C-alpha cells in the first residue's frame, strides 16, 4: 500500500474547516458556538516544507534521468518523422491492394478506396493503419520536442504562438536584424521576447510551411483555453492542424498523445528498464538545468523563462553532484591563489624544529595544554583553572593531592580571616573538582590496550638524531 500523495492537502482542509467554525462562532456564538471543537489536526501536520523538499528531490532526480536521454529522444523523433514521411509517400504511390515495405522493414498492403488519407493493412497484426495520422503525429511530436527544448516555454505558451509572434529586432551597435519570438503571458502578466536561434528558426519555418499548405496566409483559427475556459479570437496559430473540412488549434491532450506515441516507439528506457516518459514541463526543467550548467547567469535564465524571482528558476534546476564538486574545487583553487604562495612551500629545518618543540612545550604536570600552535600561555600557567587544559587521567593522584592541599589552605584562610584568599582558593577548588571529574570520566572511557608502539616524539627524535 502506497502512502497517500496529497495527505497534507486533506489535513489542511480539515484544519481550515475547524478554524472557520471558530471564526464564525466569534461572530455568531449562538449559531456556531456548539460546533466549535479542538482541531484533531495539529499545525505541524499541515507543514508542507518536508513535502515540498521531497517533491523537489523527486523532480531533480527525474530531470537527472531525462536530461542525458534528451539527445537520444531528439534523434528518435527525427528518425520517426523521416520514416513516417517516407512511409506515407510510398503508400500513396502504391496501387490499391499492392504490398509495400516501410523503412522499419514492415510489410504492408495498400488499402483500396477513395480518401484523402492513406490507409494500409498490416498482415502481421491484422490492424488497419492510417499512415496520414501517423505522419501527422510524428511531425507534431518532433515539432513540440524541438520548440520546447530550444525555448524552455510552458506548453500553454507554445500552443499560443502565432504567426504574429515573430519580431525583428535591430541591434543598436551593429544594425544587424535579429529574429525574436514574442511569448504571450500565461502565468504572469509579463510578455517576453526570446531570441530565435537558427535551429529554432528551422523548426518554426517547417511548422509554418506545413500549416500554410501552399496558401498565401496561415488559416485563422480559434483556440479554446481549457484553464481559462475561453475561446480566443481567430488567430494564425502555429500549432494547428487540419481536422476533416476545417482547421483547428492543437489542444494539449493531442500534444501528450503525440509525445507518448513517439516515446513508446523510441524504446528509450530509464535506469529500472521502464519506458521513459517526458511531459512538456520536463523540457522546461531540462532547459533551465542545462542553461545554468552551461554558465548562463541565473537572473538571465529567469528572464528567459518568464520567472519574476530568480529563486523560482533555481528551483527548476537539478544541481548535479559533479557541479558541487567542481564548484568546491574551484573555490579551493581560488582561495589558494589568494593566499600568499610562501604558505605552500616546504618548511625549513628550523621551522620543523619549532613545530616539534611546540608539542614538547604543551606537556604540563596535569595533562596536555591545547593552546594553538605558536601561541604563548596567556593564563600564567595556572593550569588548574585553565579551560584549555586536557587533563591526563594518569595524573589523578597528583590532582587529588592538590585538591586536599587546597582544602587545608581554605580551612586555614577562613581561620585566619584572609577573605580575599578564600575566594581565590574556592575558585581553584571548583576548577580542581571539575578537572577531577573529567579525569574520572576519561579513565572509565579508556579501554584500549597500549601495545608499546613508538610514539610520535620518539620517531621525530630519531629522525632528528639521524640528521
Ligand atoms: S595555563 Fe592553560 S594555556 Fe597556560 S600552559 Fe596551562 S593549560 Fe596551557
Amino acid at each position: 500500500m502506497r502512502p497517500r500523495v496529497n495527505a497534507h492537502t486533506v489535513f489542511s482542509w480539515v484544519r481550515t474547516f475547524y478554524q472557520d467554525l471558530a471564526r464564525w462562532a466569534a461572530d455568531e456564538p449562538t449559531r456556531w458556538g456548539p460546533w466549535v471543537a479542538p482541531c484533531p489536526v495539529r499545525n505541524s501536520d499541515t507543514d508542507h516544507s518536508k513535502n515540498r523538499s521531497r517533491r523537489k528531490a523527486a523532480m531533480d532526480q527525474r530531470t537527472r534521468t531525462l536530461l542525458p536521454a534528451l539527445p537520444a529522444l531528439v534523434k528518435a523523433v527525427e528518425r520517426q518523422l523521416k520514416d513516417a514521411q517516407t512511409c506515407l509517400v510510398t503508400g500513396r504511390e502504391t496501387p490499391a491492394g499492392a504490398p509495400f515495405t516501410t523503412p522499419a522493414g514492415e510489410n504492408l498492403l495498400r488499402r483500396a478506396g477513395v480518401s484523402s488519407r492513406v490507409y494500409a493493412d498490416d498482415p502481421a497484426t491484422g490492424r488497419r493503419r492510417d499512415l496520414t495520422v501517423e505522419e501527422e503525429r510524428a511531425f507534431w511530436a518532433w515539432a513540440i520536442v524541438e520548440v520546447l527544448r530550444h525555448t524552455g516555454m510552458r506548453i500553454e505558451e507554445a500552443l499560443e504562438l502565432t504567426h504574429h509572434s515573430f519580431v525583428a529586432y535591430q541591434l543598436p551597435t551593429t544594425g544587424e536584424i535579429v529574429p525574436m519570438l514574442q511569448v504571450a503571458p500565461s502565468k504572469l502578466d509579463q510578455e517576453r521576447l526570446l531570441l530565435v536561434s537558427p535551429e529554432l528558426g528551422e523548426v518554426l519555418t517547417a511548422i509554418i510551411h506545413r500549416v500554410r499548405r501552399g496558401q498565401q496566409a496561415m488559416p485563422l483559427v480559434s483556440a479554446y483555453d481549457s484553464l481559462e475556459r475561453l475561446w480566443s479570437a481567430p488567430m494564425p496559430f502555429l500549432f494547428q492542424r487540419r481536422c476533416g473540412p476545417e482547421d483547428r488549434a492543437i489542444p494539449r491532450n493531442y500534444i501528450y498523445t503525440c509525445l507518448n506515441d513517439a516515446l513508446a516507439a523510441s524504446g528509450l528506457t530509464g535506469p529500472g528498464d521502464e519506458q521513459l516518459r517526458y511531459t512538456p514541463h520536463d523540457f522546461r526543467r531540462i532547459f533551465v538545468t542545462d542553461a545554468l550548467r552551461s554558465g548562463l547567469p541565473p537572473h538571465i535564465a529567469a528572464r528567459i523563462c518568464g520567472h519574476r524571482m530568480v529563486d523560482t528558476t533555481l528551483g527548476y534546476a537539478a544541481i548535479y553532484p559533479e557541479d558541487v564538486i567542481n564548484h568546491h574545487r574551484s573555490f579551493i583553487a581560488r582561495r589558494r591563489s589568494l593566499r600568499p604562495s610562501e604558505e605552500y612551500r616546504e618548511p625549513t629545518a628550523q621551522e620543523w624544529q619549532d613545530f616539534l618543540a611546540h608539542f614538547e612545550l604543551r606537556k604540563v604536570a596535569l595533562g596536555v595544554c591545547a593552546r594553538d600552535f605558536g601561541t604563548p600561555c596567556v593564563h600564567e600557567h595556572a593550569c588548574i583553572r585553565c579551560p584549555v587544559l586536557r587533563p591526563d587521567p594518569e595524573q589523578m593522584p597528583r590532582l587529588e593531592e592538590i585538591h586536599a592541599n587546597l582544602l587545608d589552605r581554605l580551612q586555614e584562610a577562613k581561620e585566619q580571616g584572609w577573605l580575599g584568599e578564600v575566594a581565590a582558593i574556592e575558585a581553584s577548588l571548583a576548577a580542581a573538582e571539575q578537572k577531577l571529574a573529567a579525569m574520572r570520566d576519561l579513565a572509565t572511557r579508556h579501554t584500549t590496550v597500549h601495545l608499546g608502539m613508538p610514539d610520535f616524539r620518539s620517531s621525530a627524535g630519531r629522525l632528528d638524531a639521524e640528521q
Side-chain angles (χ1 to χ4, degrees), residues 364 369 371 377 379 381-383 386 388-389:
V364 290
C369 168
R371 69 177 185 270
C377 169
H379 300 120
H381 297 280
C383 298
C386 181
V388 297
L389 174 75

Side-chain angles (χ1 to χ4, degrees), residues 363-367 391-400 436 439:
K363 185 66 190 145
V364 290
L366 294 176
D392 181 1
E394 288 184 11
Q395 303 302 327
M396 209 182 320
R398 180 189 297 273
L399 189 54
E400 282 168 346
L436 269 173
M439 281 179 177

Side-chain angles (χ1 to χ4, degrees), residues 107-168:
N107 294 314
L108 304 181
L109 291 173
R110 173 76 155 96
R111 267 212 166 199
V114 181
S115 169
S116 58
R117 293 174 176 271
V118 179
Y119 295 103
D121 288 319
D122 187 350
T125 59
R127 280 178 52 237
R128 185 190 73 164
R129 284 174 56 175
D130 187 338
L131 302 184
T132 315
V133 165
E134 286 180 13
E135 190 273 340
E136 193 167 37
R137 286 188 182 172
F139 177 83
W140 288 115
W142 168 80
I144 200 69
V145 167
E146 291 291 333
V147 169
L148 294 182
R149 85 181 178 101
H150 283 303
T151 59
M153 281 183 201
R154 301 179 182 98
I155 181 65
E156 62 269 23
E157 291 170 342
L159 295 183
E160 283 175 11
L161 287 176
T162 68
H163 206 187
H164 301 147
S165 302
F166 295 94
V167 178

Side-chain angles (χ1 to χ4, degrees), residues 108-279:
L108 304 181
L109 291 173
R110 173 76 155 96
R111 267 212 166 199
V114 181
S115 169
S116 58
R117 293 174 176 271
V118 179
Y119 295 103
D121 288 319
D122 187 350
T125 59
R127 280 178 52 237
R128 185 190 73 164
R129 284 174 56 175
D130 187 338
L131 302 184
T132 315
V133 165
E134 286 180 13
E135 190 273 340
E136 193 167 37
R137 286 188 182 172
F139 177 83
W140 288 115
W142 168 80
I144 200 69
V145 167
E146 291 291 333
V147 169
L148 294 182
R149 85 181 178 101
H150 283 303
T151 59
M153 281 183 201
R154 301 179 182 98
I155 181 65
E156 62 269 23
E157 291 170 342
L159 295 183
E160 283 175 11
L161 287 176
T162 68
H163 206 187
H164 301 147
S165 302
F166 295 94
V167 178
Y169 177 71
Q170 188 169 19
L171 291 176
T173 47
T174 59
E176 190 186 344
I177 302 286
V178 178
M180 307 284 282
L181 200 58
Q182 190 172 22
V183 180
S186 66
K187 251 185 168 175
L188 308 172
D189 278 346
Q190 285 179 339
E191 277 192 342
R192 63 185 197 277
L193 288 172
L194 297 179
L195 193 68
V196 178
S197 64
E199 296 84 11
L200 179 62
E202 269 181 40
V203 180
L204 295 175
T205 309
I207 293 174
I208 292 169
H209 179 74
R210 182 184 187 91
V211 171
R212 276 182 25 189
R213 298 191 307 275
Q215 296 167 16
Q216 197 70 19
M218 289 183 69
L220 301 181
V221 293
S222 286
Y224 181 67
D225 188 331
S226 56
L227 299 177
E228 300 280 346
R229 294 175 190 271
L230 287 172
W231 284 95
S232 73
M235 308 256 268
F237 285 108
L238 296 190
F239 283 84
Q240 60 169 292
R241 68 191 187 104
R242 192 85 185 156
C243 293
E246 61 177 3
D247 295 296
R248 286 187 194 164
I250 290 179
R252 269 176 204 231
N253 55 1
Y254 183 76
I255 294 294
Y256 278 92
T257 307
C258 295
L259 262 181
N260 291 340
D261 283 359
L263 282 162
S266 70
L268 289 175
T269 52
D273 238 18
E274 77 287 356
Q275 188 199 307
L276 277 187
R277 187 169 171 269
Y278 283 76
T279 64

